[in-house]
Amino acid sequence: MADSHKVKHYSGIMDWLTTVDHKKIGILYMLAGGLFFLLGGLEAILIRIQLMYPDSKIFIGDTFNALTTMHGTTMIFLAAMPIIFAFMNAIVPLQIGARDVAFPFVNALGFWLFFFGGVLLNTSWFLGGAPAAGWTAYAPLSSIVDSTSAYHGVDFYVLGLQIAGLGTLIGGINFLVTIINMRAPGMTYMRMPLFTWTAFITSALILFAFPAITVGLVQLMFDRLFEGAFFEVSKGGNPVLWEHIFWIFGHPEVYILILPAFGIISEIVSTFSKKRLFGYSSMVFATALIGFLGFMVWVHHMFTTGIGPVGNAIFSIATMAIAVPTGVKIFNWLFTLWGGQITFSTANTFATAFIPTFVMGGTTGVMLAVPPADYQYHDTYFVVAHFHYVIVGGLVLGLFAGAYYWWPKMFGRMLNETLGKIHFWTFFVGFHMTFFPQHFLGLMGMPRRVFTYQPNVGLEEGNFISTIGAFLMGVGTIVFIINIIATARSPKTAPADPWDGRTLEWAIPSPPPEYNFKQTPLVRGLDPLWKEKMAGNKEMTPAEPVGSIHMPSPSILPFVMSLGFFIAGYGFMYHKYVVVAIGLGAMLVCMLLRSVYDDKGYHIEPEELNDKGVKA
């Protein structure tokens, strides 16, 4: 057993590079995801600038293709996913009464793999050009290799996403184990908060979906770097195989993104209505059913590939079926609000705005589920409007709601409510201005992924309004950044329970101490903190006496292992196998060090804790 006073604690940047604390890793995910979100948003605004007027010549050809590819890839893989992981890291262990995640070392490794994968992908801008094959990287366009050119765009995509995806996969496994094994006494599955449930089902989807995209990316890597034949027709390959592999991952990925947003909305609507979530058990089963059906609908992305009427009909019915559990959730949120003592804080404003916006996205989704109609909608701006209503109108509004709700818990500071309302209205109005006209542009025949359009065919007004809306969304995001900067300068004065919350994370100080709970709480029902409040108790009933708390030691090894993958990625891309050996060698040395020097962590003794549960 290590003596608590001999543990090496770092400060400054080394503290962040070596941390295995789930709360700090959550903040790292938030920062990195926020950075990529700004990058993806900038790419989107550049796309809209090009399309503001007909026959523009600002970003044309492969420059435009690179912008659309990088915007989609960045937003899905490098912005939305990590911000979801930020909330999962910061909140799930607190909601289940745990002191940390199951594998703190693996948790840190997951973050650094994602981060270096994202950085690798984005260095493509400076090293010969970003990938320009679309964010879905359809073969054979993505498998064409020009050996005479310095262009390696799709190689960056393939290797960057493999590294980042590995980080996401091990992160998902970590949360599955954490939620199964580390719940506080009394925290049965049917007492878990909805956000924890959605994190749990999301992690299960990650476990089954991410291996598919990993296999696909490895196959594409073999085609590109080692003259393989998976998708090359002239060698006996099949490009439609890539579509199947991509969408077997890609459609569950939509639910990996949106389910945690559902969880966030469920927490916020309940808290700010001063009511228990309506139909808790039906919400849980609906979430599980969405996860299950999510693997059975991928072919609706491929209705025009010629699979045939039987396949199209089966996947059409499955796609319509998935609207049923989603509809259950919508009504449960509305019934939770119904008759409640509603407070329209910024968090709840985003949450309630999410509901009708997401319904609009779902409605166009059901329209796209009809194969004959899909033949008309496919590859038009109607589809662009649809998935942005789901991903931005659903997921991003949910993430903003979660940010305002949990910011005091993560950072110990309350975000400014006035700036929050300005952020909401500029972003929300801008969002509808951007994407609502795109439904009509699509119905009028404007194709996706085109960098220009003809004048005098009725497309000018819609595109102009759409671009103005995109700028307004940008203004809203800037207001949010100003809010963060202004808040960061204030002292950490947020109370433990600023919203009169219902779940365990509000039972401990803001921000939480290193070990979360001085004593593991005893859970006596759904909404455990609210139950204790109603019983007249000031705090949670402990399940154990105050005792020695075991904590994991910080480690630089996850950072160095991920850096090794990063270096090896460049080696593969440029066929410099010495560089590959150096990168993978560094990774293997770290694995060896980890196995030989098995750090047992350290202990915080009861006398080191003060009354507030903060380390003295």
Side-chain angles (χ1 to χ4, degrees):
M1 184 186 294
D3 183 352
S4 63
H5 296 289
K6 291 181 182 174
V7 174
K8 175 69 173 168
H9 269 291
Y10 299 98
S11 59
I13 192 155
M14 274 304 286
D15 180 29
W16 293 97
L17 294 179
T18 60
T19 187
V20 293
D21 179 355
H22 70 94
K23 297 175 291 296
K24 287 183 177 173
I25 290 169
I27 291 170
L28 286 171
Y29 268 116
M30 181 76 81
L31 288 169
L35 186 68
F36 286 123
F37 182 81
L38 294 176
L39 208 55
L42 178 64
E43 286 153 359
I45 284 175
L46 296 179
I47 290 166
R48 288 308 326 160
I49 287 171
Q50 165 61 22
L51 292 169
M52 192 170 187
Y53 298 108
D55 279 341
S56 289
K57 305 234 173 357
I58 307 167
F59 306 107
I60 61 172
D62 268 354
T63 307
F64 185 87
N65 294 341
L67 283 172
T68 53
T69 302
M70 287 297 284
H71 165 67
T73 308
T74 301
M75 285 305 203
I76 296 287
F77 295 101
L78 308 178
M81 282 299 301
I83 296 172
I84 287 166
F85 264 87
F87 289 133
M88 283 166 63
N89 268 287
I91 304 302
V92 167
L94 306 184
Q95 286 197 333
I96 60 172
R99 291 228 165 86
D100 210 315
V101 292
F103 309 114
F105 182 92
V106 172
N107 200 22
L109 180 61
F111 167 75
W112 289 113
L113 283 169
F114 140 72
F115 180 72
F116 279 115
V119 171
L120 177 71
L121 174 58
N122 277 279
T123 55
S124 61
W125 288 111
F126 312 104
L127 295 171
W135 79 273
T136 54
Y138 277 4
L141 186 61
S142 58
S143 56
I144 297 166
V145 181
D146 181 1
S147 56
T148 63
S149 167
Y151 174 70
H152 284 274
V154 181
D155 298 333
F156 281 98
Y157 175 96
V158 166
L159 288 153
L161 290 191
Q162 277 185 78
I163 296 167
L166 189 59
T168 304
L169 181 60
I170 62 176
I173 293 167
N174 199 356
F175 277 101
L176 277 176
V177 179
T178 300
I179 295 168
I180 290 168
N181 282 347
M182 299 186 70
R183 286 167 287 128
M187 177 67 77
T188 60
Y189 282 107
M190 292 310 283
R191 286 178 179 175
M192 293 196 317
L194 237 288
F195 180 67
T196 298
W197 258 113
T198 55
F200 182 57
I201 290 166
T202 293
S203 300
L205 294 182
I206 287 170
L207 178 63
F208 291 109
F210 267 80
I213 190 68
T214 306
V215 167
L217 288 166
V218 168
Q219 290 177 334
L220 189 54
M221 183 172 90
F222 270 84
D223 274 19
R224 290 189 60 83
L225 302 181
F226 309 116
E227 299 180 4
F230 290 105
F231 311 118
E232 187 60 52
V233 177
S234 62
K235 297 177 182 175
N238 184 354
V240 178
L241 174 63
W242 168 264
E243 289 193 44
H244 279 294
I245 291 171
F246 185 88
W247 288 116
I248 283 172
F249 150 79
H251 204 85
E253 168 70 4
V254 174
Y255 297 107
I256 288 167
L257 295 174
I258 203 68
L259 285 178
F262 287 172
I264 292 167
I265 302 305
S266 302
E267 300 290 331
I268 292 172
V269 162
S270 172
T271 298
F272 290 106
S273 300
K274 292 278 182 284
K275 281 176 69 181
R276 226 178 98 169
L277 187 69
F278 181 90
Y280 168 85
S281 55
S282 66
M283 286 290 256
V284 170
F285 289 120
T287 308
L289 188 56
I290 288 169
F292 178 70
L293 290 174
F295 282 95
M296 301 185 180
V297 296
W298 83 88
V299 175
H300 69 217
H301 294 271
M302 301 169 57
F303 281 153
T304 59
T305 50
I307 282 168
V310 175
N312 282 2
I314 290 166
F315 283 93
S316 173
I317 292 162
T319 305
M320 292 180 190
I322 209 165
V324 177
T326 313
V328 168
K329 288 181 164 296
I330 300 292
F331 284 109
N332 282 17
W333 290 322
L334 293 175
F335 287 138
T336 304
L337 288 163
W338 185 268
Q341 298 173 338
I342 303 172
T343 308
F344 280 108
S345 64
T346 304
N348 199 31
T349 310
F350 271 106
T352 46
F354 163 100
I355 299 170
T357 314
F358 184 77
V359 167
M360 289 174 73
T363 304
T364 52
V366 175
M367 291 169 71
L368 287 159
V370 182
D374 186 72
Y375 272 73
Q376 300 300 315
Y377 304 137
H378 191 77
D379 265 343
T380 71
Y381 259 78
F382 188 85
V383 179
V384 178
H386 157 70
F387 71 70
H388 281 90
Y389 262 81
V390 173
I391 300 297
V392 185
L395 171 66
V396 175
L397 290 184
L399 294 180
F400 279 139
Y404 282 95
Y405 184 58
W406 281 315
W407 201 268
K409 187 52 61 183
M410 290 176 73
F411 297 96
R413 300 177 174 95
M414 305 283 287
L415 286 168
N416 183 289
E417 284 286 308
T418 307
L419 285 173
K421 295 286 172 39
I422 295 167
H423 168 209
F424 168 76
W425 284 112
T426 47
F427 191 89
F428 186 70
V429 172
F431 162 74
H432 284 285
M433 275 180 73
T434 305
F435 298 108
F436 191 70
Q438 292 183 7
H439 293 99
F440 303 99
L441 292 172
L443 294 174
M444 290 159 77
M446 183 170 173
R448 295 164 69 176
R449 306 190 183 101
V450 291
F451 62 80
T452 190
Y453 52 95
Q454 295 296 311
N456 305 317
V457 291
L459 301 178
E460 294 99 326
E461 292 84 358
N463 274 296
F464 184 80
I465 294 166
S466 195
T467 301
I468 298 300
F471 277 109
L472 207 49
M473 288 169 77
V475 169
T477 307
I478 290 165
V479 172
F480 183 52
I481 294 165
I482 291 167
N483 198 346
I484 291 169
I485 294 166
T487 305
R489 294 180 171 182
S490 61
K492 294 185 180 181
T493 54
D497 184 16
W499 312 121
D500 195 13
R502 310 177 73 84
T503 44
L504 284 179
E505 75 267 31
W506 306 112
I508 55 175
S510 301
E514 182 183 355
Y515 43 82
N516 299 347
F517 295 89
K518 190 174 178 179
Q519 296 165 279
T520 302
L522 179 66
V523 175
R524 299 200 278 192
L526 185 62
D527 293 344
L529 179 59
W530 190 259
K531 195 168 181 68
E532 297 292 339
K533 287 179 189 175
M534 291 299 102
N537 299 329
K538 291 272 193 271
E539 54 189 38
M540 291 300 299
T541 305
E544 61 178 6
V546 176
S548 175
I549 297 172
H550 177 262
M551 298 301 295
S553 296
S555 173
I556 195 68
L557 295 180
F559 178 84
V560 180
M561 287 172 79
S562 306
L563 185 62
F565 266 109
F566 179 73
I567 292 165
Y570 285 114
F572 276 120
M573 211 177 311
Y574 294 102
H575 298 281
K576 305 289 184 195
Y577 295 107
V578 176
V579 177
V580 173
I582 291 167
L584 295 182
M587 188 198 71
L588 290 169
V589 167
C590 289
M591 290 172 70
L592 191 65
L593 285 171
R594 175 68 181 167
S595 59
V596 172
Y597 175 63
D598 185 17
D599 193 337
K600 296 290 191 293
Y602 63 99
H603 285 74
I604 301 171
E605 302 303 332
E607 60 272 16
E608 294 182 86
L609 308 173
N610 63 23
D611 290 339
K612 290 182 180 174
V614 181
K615 192 171 177 184

